[in-house]
Amino acid sequence: MPRQLLLEWADRQGRDCLKVSGWPEAELREIGHMDAGDLSRRLSVLPSDSLTDGGHVGIPPVAGSFVVEGGSVWFVPRFPFVDGMSYSLLVDGDGGLAEPEVWAIQRTAATGIPTTEVLEIYPTAATLPFNLLRVYVHFSSPMSEGWACRSVRVCRADTGEPLEDVFLPPDPELWDPERRRLTMLLDPGRIKRGLAPNREFGYPLAEGMEVRITVDAGFRDAKGRPLKAASERRYRVGPALRSRIDPAGWRLTAPAAGSSVPLVVDFGRPLDHGLLQHCLWVTDGAGNRVPGAGAPCAGEQGWRFVPSVPWRRGEHRLVIDSRLEDVAGNSPVHVFDRDIARQADAPLRDGLTEVSFVCAADPGAPQTGASAGNVQSSFPSLA
């Protein structure tokens, strides 16, 4: 007897969930004894407009979990459902041998004018390496899940032609806890030399190309409303970056003792915006962390640190965590897109690098990490 399922929006433990009733008793018992893996292969929920010609292979489902309770199957989403969208429940009763049954339900459209906008697209440097690894999109309000792969695109700047398969399909999407910062990974398999996708398809970007990274206005915020406007950033694609981050080559402009002017660091290459928030800090001569606020400079090619109290006279240290990466995924301990036959690029053990600088009454000329032997690293080679 064919299923006659009833889909409805219902509250479960204070969460807005999808309730599915009308299961045959034998099938409900079978579903109730499945583990999470088998259940996710049997049932899935997707945005209805992501299904084309009945196809669903390769489309990431809405993140969440299924629970069998009270004669019904409940879908508890990881993030709230989006008002105004239609969702489809896919029921696979043949182990993938036939097309699944599809049951759809529409949510009431959100009201009100759009209020959310794109604050920034990172990197902000004008030129990017053709082995770029990540793109960040910052929004002014929490966003809905399920729109990233449809709304963030890379296009040729001259023709507007979209570049295919640039981003790794986001399953799940990579959001910060507030769902205001989206991370999009360019396909690592196409970036790392020697891997099959790189040999077959090449790099997602090509040197000399001019591209636009765009965010469509149709990207929905957490209340189901579109953005106030589309957003884009243009770039020129330059040579690859294939070397470790080397703090010995950084240029530090040390502040005067007794002042609150910032310490300024010039990296000489764009570093990863997200990791710059966590992987640099400053200590005093005794090793105590100096309170203050750090922020990337223009193009993420530098960093400024403003202390909460005036600088003390004497030696200080800029501390670099080995997790810090540039925009191509290189860190102080590894080269992401490396030639495995090149011994000089063999990975090192994780650790910290410290670059010392002196706050004097007259700070004088800018200091570099290579001067006076003031770079100390705590990670030896693994080779």
Side-chain angles (χ1 to χ4, degrees), residues 14 17 43 96 116 130 140-141 221 223 261 263 297 310 323 349 351:
C17 300
L43 306 174
T116 302
F130 69 75
S140 61
S141 300
D221 66 16
K223 295 181 180 180
V261 300
L263 166 71
C297 298
R323 294 174 298 171
R349 290 191 178 93

Side-chain angles (χ1 to χ4, degrees), residues 36 39 80 95 112 122 177 198 202 318 342 356 363:
L39 194 54
Y122 292 98
N198 176 269
L318 172 66
R342 178 178 161 83
S356 65

Side-chain angles (χ1 to χ4, degrees), residues 131-135 184-188 191 325 327-329 336:
N131 56 350
L132 174 73
L133 182 59
R134 295 184 191 90
V135 170
M184 299 291 289
L185 287 174
L186 279 75
D187 189 347
I191 292 173
E325 295 180 358
V327 295
F336 186 80

